[in-house]
Amino acid sequence: MHHRRPKNLRKPLLGGGAFLLLAALNAPAAVSFAEQRYHAYKISRPAYQRQYGSWARVEVPAEYRVNAIHAALLHTGKVLLIAGSGNSQKNFDAGTFDTVLWDPVANTFKKVPTPEDFFCSGHSQLPDGRLLVAGGTARYEILDGEVRKAGGGMRVKNESPDKAVTLKKGTVFRSPSGIEYVSKTDVTVPKATREFEVSYFGNGAMKPWKTKVTAAEARVFVEAVEEGPQALTTQAAQYEVVGLHGEDADNVYGLAQKLTTEKQDFQGIRSAYEFDPKAEKYVPVDPMRDARWYPTLVTLQDGRVLAVSGLNDVGDVVPGDNEIYDPKTRKWTKGPTRYFPTYPALFLTRGGKLLYTGSNAGYGPADKGREPGLWDLEKNTFTGLGGLTDPDQLETSASLILPPAQDQKVMVLGGGGVGESEKSTARTSVVDLSKDSPVFTDGPDLPQGTRYLSSVLMPDDTVFTSGGSGDYRGRGGSDVLKAQFYDPGTNAFTEAAEPTVGRNYHSEALLLPDGRVATFGSDPLYGDRDNTKLGTFERRVEVFTPPALHRGGANRPVLGNGPAEPGADGRATFATEDAGRIAAARLMRPGAVTHTTDVEQRSVALELTRGRDGRSVTVDVPDDRTLVPPGWYMLFVTDGDGVPSVARWIRVK
């Protein structure tokens, strides 16, 4: 006889099977949740934090969350976060440009009126503590297949030696066949130059005077008034300026070689400003001679600033026409000519030469201007430096002068292939410029190939590195949630606590005066591993507290009263009850970082003398301005365990 299973048993048995099935299906999630809980517990333990440090999020009110493209520490202790249009075409079209000032001590925020689009500008710390901001965005790129109107660079000529000519945005240029193009920005063409020539007959008599006029020239980007193939041209032609008459029409005209619907790159602006940390506002200064987007600004030993590279006002890489800003006159003059890709990493070294590590942020051909070397500005000579592993993967790499700066060792970390390459390298390499024939020597590898790595000098002479991604702009969910310390003394990395926020393109990190490291930004192309969901700009701020601060706790060395600048002998004395435990002093230049490029930061070792009464310390600042460029610095002292004080600000003139 066949026996049926009782109905009242079927449901419990089915329910139990479903439970077992669900348990099996959810096991990975349950394990993952348990692992997360354990990880959160582990990293909160004091012993863990004393060894690895810790991360914490900063609560930023919604109205102050910006797409931080640039970050600079000011001598007021506040951090300037510059977005400009923030890589948003919508913001650019609306003329919405943002800057936020963050006070890390009070954790307060303030919006700063931003007069122009400083998106992808350059910046440098000036001797008086102002921040020079130069360049930015005049026009967003239009990709292949999306260009509807033919456009390109128009060379505007002026043959009048008597007056300069300004053509306003919207000026129309007409081709010989009647096709019209409109300018997208104002353009000013200087007056032509006039030269007098005189020559002599064989008997010594003079020939009559002759006058030679050389036309002046400026560039402007133009776009066809109407869509259609009739506006495309690759033939050189002369274009009349509509609206000019008489002599003006004869003297002023356009020349164009190529007007097409190919990809149109970003275009730069000539504008320059100083940000005043006390008034907390931008102050306009004379514009640059060239428009620049993605330029590097590097401070020289006399306090002047060299502006290098960038995309110009027609979207081409500036072909080596560099210029120098003098903060005394607030004007620009021509600098030594040399070509570099955009955002080249240039460091002032002892003797005044600039070291180009080869690090850069992108635009420019793969075979031009990418070799590392030493640039003698006075002679305008360039000496290449060999020995670098993966020299084809320097784009989006990090570079810095290792601490202390007296050792004259410069490090390159990570990087990737040119453009949207999938390549990334774990290579680090160091060049010792104190040697007669310096070459790069490989250091320890990073945990994995990494682009956009943030690297920050610390008061204890280590280098803190964090973030980055394994692929171009974090494609494929490739953000690297790792951090580590590099010790120049042991030439080795040690693990640090892992960040919780991914940082790739358009991300920054800065050392704060209290010894912590703040991280900002990130601009991924995609928001998932399959590259199907568009990425969104990372607006969260995360701050790393290093192990030394957890070890020191409230018992940190303290620098008391002292001068705001060293005396004529370079000495400065500070009151302190901790003179007996203070082991070292470092002068650290505040950072100004964008696109993984921070050529400002450097750490200078200071000679330290303790007062006889044990209640003061005296530091000696080197008088070599190629080692210590003029400006405001953070003065840190550390004890024998590497625990730093809160920095005192001191100005070096």
Side-chain angles (χ1 to χ4, degrees), residues 222-537:
V222 299
E223 186 178 74
V225 173
E226 296 181 359
E227 297 181 11
Q230 75 282 352
L232 278 68
T233 179
T234 56
Q235 300 295 317
Q238 183 169 315
Y239 296 72
E240 67 171 300
V241 179
V242 176
L244 295 185
H245 305 284
E247 287 188 1
D248 287 344
D250 293 335
N251 289 329
V252 182
Y253 53 90
L255 294 174
Q257 172 75 38
K258 185 179 180 182
L259 300 170
T260 73
T261 53
E262 296 173 1
K263 176 190 174 184
Q264 296 171 357
D265 270 318
F266 282 94
Q267 295 164 15
I269 59 176
R270 297 171 61 239
S271 302
Y273 288 75
E274 291 181 357
F275 185 81
D276 185 336
K278 294 181 179 178
E280 297 184 342
K281 67 177 183 179
Y282 290 102
V283 179
V285 297
D286 264 16
M288 295 181 290
R289 300 154 67 97
D290 272 291
R292 299 181 190 272
W293 184 88
Y294 263 50
T296 290
L297 272 59
V298 56
T299 303
L300 305 177
Q301 63 264 34
D302 57 6
R304 296 182 303 158
V305 176
L306 176 68
V308 174
S309 191
L311 297 188
N312 61 22
D313 46 7
V314 295
D316 297 331
V317 178
V318 176
D321 300 321
N322 308 307
E323 51 194 300
I324 295 177
Y325 179 75
D326 188 338
K328 295 178 181 177
T329 63
R330 296 186 175 178
K331 295 182 183 297
W332 298 84
T333 56
K334 182 174 173 55
T337 301
R338 182 153 297 277
Y339 174 91
F340 294 96
T342 55
Y343 279 136
L346 295 162
F347 297 93
L348 180 66
T349 66
R350 275 192 133 150
K353 294 179 182 178
L354 294 182
L355 171 66
Y356 171 49
T357 62
S359 295
N360 66 88
Y363 291 81
D367 59 352
K368 186 178 180 183
R370 295 181 182 265
E371 179 191 13
L374 277 169
W375 184 17
D376 186 322
L377 299 181
E378 290 188 4
K379 298 177 181 177
N380 197 19
T381 57
F382 189 85
T383 305
L385 297 173
L388 191 66
T389 298
D390 294 339
D392 63 334
Q393 296 179 59
L394 284 167
E395 197 165 286
T396 66
S397 62
S399 296
L400 43 78
I401 300 176
L402 288 174
Q406 283 92 336
D407 289 351
Q408 292 291 280
K409 293 181 179 180
V410 182
M411 189 175 197
V412 176
L413 304 96
V418 174
E420 299 185 14
S421 168
E422 296 179 354
K423 287 184 178 180
S424 62
T425 178
R427 173 262 297 122
T428 71
S429 197
V430 177
V431 60
D432 185 348
L433 299 177
S434 67
K435 294 186 176 180
D436 292 336
S437 299
V439 293
F440 281 94
T441 303
D442 283 352
D445 280 351
L446 295 164
Q448 65 187 79
T450 309
R451 306 170 69 122
Y452 319 105
L453 184 72
S454 287
S455 299
V456 178
L457 303 181
M458 303 299 288
D460 63 356
D461 284 354
T462 60
V463 178
F464 177 68
T465 71
S466 67
S469 66
D471 197 354
Y472 176 78
R473 287 184 65 175
R475 280 184 308 207
S478 61
D479 281 352
V480 180
L481 292 174
K482 291 183 181 298
Q484 48 276 321
F485 286 98
Y486 172 74
D487 186 337
T490 62
N491 191 33
F493 282 106
T494 56
E495 183 183 352
E498 297 174 350
T500 65
V501 178
R503 308 284 183 191
N504 52 69
Y505 185 54
H506 288 152
S507 64
E508 306 84 39
L510 287 174
L511 176 68
L512 299 177
D514 62 7
R516 298 179 300 158
V517 175
T519 62
F520 317 91
S522 191
D523 195 1
L525 276 177
Y526 300 101
D528 63 345
R529 291 186 178 183
D530 296 327
N531 296 333
T532 59
K533 179 183 177 183
L534 288 177
T536 56
F537 204 102

Side-chain angles (χ1 to χ4, degrees), residues 451-637:
R451 306 170 69 122
Y452 319 105
L453 184 72
S454 287
S455 299
V456 178
L457 303 181
M458 303 299 288
D460 63 356
D461 284 354
T462 60
V463 178
F464 177 68
T465 71
S466 67
S469 66
D471 197 354
Y472 176 78
R473 287 184 65 175
R475 280 184 308 207
S478 61
D479 281 352
V480 180
L481 292 174
K482 291 183 181 298
Q484 48 276 321
F485 286 98
Y486 172 74
D487 186 337
T490 62
N491 191 33
F493 282 106
T494 56
E495 183 183 352
E498 297 174 350
T500 65
V501 178
R503 308 284 183 191
N504 52 69
Y505 185 54
H506 288 152
S507 64
E508 306 84 39
L510 287 174
L511 176 68
L512 299 177
D514 62 7
R516 298 179 300 158
V517 175
T519 62
F520 317 91
S522 191
D523 195 1
L525 276 177
Y526 300 101
D528 63 345
R529 291 186 178 183
D530 296 327
N531 296 333
T532 59
K533 179 183 177 183
L534 288 177
T536 56
F537 204 102
E538 179 57 71
R539 293 181 160 193
R540 289 174 293 178
V541 176
E542 193 170 28
V543 176
F544 176 72
T545 299
L549 295 186
H550 285 288
R551 293 196 304 269
N555 187 28
R556 301 172 62 175
V558 177
L559 278 182
N561 293 331
E565 60 186 61
D569 58 358
R571 310 193 86 193
T573 299
F574 293 85
T576 177
E577 298 297 324
D578 298 311
R581 62 184 282 217
I582 291 174
R586 294 292 182 265
L587 206 59
M588 304 192 72
R589 193 169 177 88
V593 59
T594 186
H595 293 73
T596 316
T597 306
D598 187 351
V599 300
E600 288 292 331
Q601 63 170 344
R602 64 176 58 209
S603 176
V604 181
L606 303 183
E607 185 178 326
L608 181 71
T609 307
R610 296 170 186 80
R612 291 181 179 178
D613 60 359
R615 303 182 67 180
S616 68
V617 292
T618 299
V619 295
D620 285 86
V621 177
D623 59 4
D624 181 353
R625 291 296 164 264
T626 65
L627 180 67
V628 191
W632 283 87
Y633 287 77
M634 292 179 284
L635 172 61
F636 285 97
V637 293

Side-chain angles (χ1 to χ4, degrees), residues 11-26:
K11 189 171 183 179
L13 285 171
L14 287 171
F19 174 79
L20 292 172
L21 177 62
L22 288 172
L25 290 173
N26 287 322

